[in-house]
Amino acid sequence: MTAAIIDGKAHAAALRGRVADAVAAFRERAGRAPGLAVVLVGEDPASAVYVRNKGKATREAGMASFEHRLPADTDAATLLALVAQLNADPAVDGILVQLPLPAHIDAEAVLLAIDPDKDVDGFHPVNAGRLAIGAEGFVPCTPLGCLMLLKDVHPQLAGLEAVVIGRSNIVGKPMAQLLLQQSCTVTIVHSRTRDVAAHTRRADILVAAVGIPRFVQGDWIKPGATVIDVGINRTDAGLVGDVDFAAAQGLAGAITPVPGGVGPMTIACLIRNTYVSACRREALDAVAL
Ligand code: NAP
């Protein structure tokens, strides 16, 4: 068997197109564009690229992008004052503070300061809580993108065995919550799990969010499983995922490549969340995206 390749780039382009159409209709009705504010502190090169790409995607969708670049030695009080200003700004529907922050700033305090109703990254504890109880909020963009890719392969996820490798607050835990909401039977494995492969071999749906290059071996995969590789690892051989793609391709039913799988969905989901936020704030019905 050769796995079908899940083309995240094409899915993301389609989602961005749907968001752009929805934004055009929003602008007509609300008389303004949805706005996303992105805050970058310092010069981390990878973060600078992410921020540039987010700004570009925001503008391409017909939304307003407010970019705030602060020097690496910015103190916490200055950053918190900017967040407060963005919370109060009616033109701003979404606020994203790019992580990681410099070590002298308490990242958790900054995330807590963001208005949960503008927290389009879905990292605020209020949104994590809303996800846990199934209330309306914002879901972190990477797991949301993974779910969209999964639903394209399995319109009906109920009853499937899902295994998530990783329990971070930004990927593993919200991914598990989303799969549970879809009525999958969910197992989360992590660095203290005794036999990771024994769990993955049962998985109809396997999501790897570990951060270790080619961690998941071919023989860890149940034949026909759908494999979502969240990993982005920079190696001498270039960008690789958390799954040994070449080995997995012979067993999986469908698999995301790295790059070109989950990655492009993350930014597409960010602009989707920003559009949804704008609709909620204007009390307009959002188009289902
Ligand atoms: P993280 O915070 O470092 O979490 C990694 C998780 O993997 C932890 O829960 C850890 O367990 C678990 N783990 C580590 N070693 C393990 C082992 N030997 N066996 C089983 N589990 C193990 O990473 P993250 O932020 O979730 O990111 C994961 C990967 O996704 C990274 O490669 C990152 O670059 C990538 N990523 C991609 C996107 C995207 O847009 N595509 C977005 C975010 C992240 P413990 O909790 O026990 O330590």
Side-chain angles (χ1 to χ4, degrees), residues 192-252:
R192 308 293 295 273
T193 298
R194 276 198 301 247
D195 184 352
V196 172
H199 294 282
T200 62
R201 285 189 187 115
R202 289 188 289 103
D204 303 309
I205 306 287
L206 177 60
V207 181
V210 197
I212 301 176
R214 302 188 192 92
F215 177 71
V216 175
Q217 312 293 303
D219 66 354
W220 292 15
I221 293 169
K222 178 177 171 180
T226 300
V227 179
I228 303 289
D229 188 349
V230 184
I232 300 179
N233 306 295
R234 287 174 178 82
T235 70
D236 292 343
L239 272 195
V240 302
D242 289 345
V243 177
D244 182 342
F245 182 84
Q249 217 183 351
L251 277 145

Side-chain angles (χ1 to χ4, degrees), residues 49-176:
V49 171
Y50 289 140
V51 165
R52 201 175 327 124
N53 290 343
K54 286 167 186 173
K56 187 165 166 273
T58 306
R59 287 186 295 276
E60 281 174 5
M63 303 197 284
S65 171
F66 308 104
E67 289 170 38
H68 296 268
R69 289 162 200 275
L70 305 177
D73 61 359
T74 299
D75 60 22
T78 306
L79 180 55
L80 289 170
L82 173 59
V83 169
Q85 179 198 319
L86 297 172
N87 282 343
D89 185 341
V92 172
D93 299 291
I95 302 170
L96 181 157
V97 177
Q98 184 65 45
L99 300 176
L101 286 169
H104 67 277
I105 296 179
D106 175 359
E108 210 175 305
V110 174
L111 294 182
L112 268 176
I114 296 173
D115 178 348
D117 294 332
K118 293 190 177 186
D119 168 42
V120 285
D121 251 345
F123 293 165
H124 194 289
V126 165
N127 282 317
R130 287 169 172 163
L131 176 60
I133 65 167
E136 186 178 273
F138 291 110
V139 175
C141 300
T142 298
L144 181 59
C146 293
L147 180 67
M148 289 180 182
L149 295 179
L150 279 169
K151 289 203 84 163
D152 192 60
V153 181
H154 303 271
Q156 187 53 265
L157 286 161
L160 296 181
E161 290 285 337
V163 174
V164 179
I165 315 179
R167 54 174 166 179
S168 70
N169 290 334
I170 61 170
V171 189
K173 278 183 204 155
M175 186 75 245

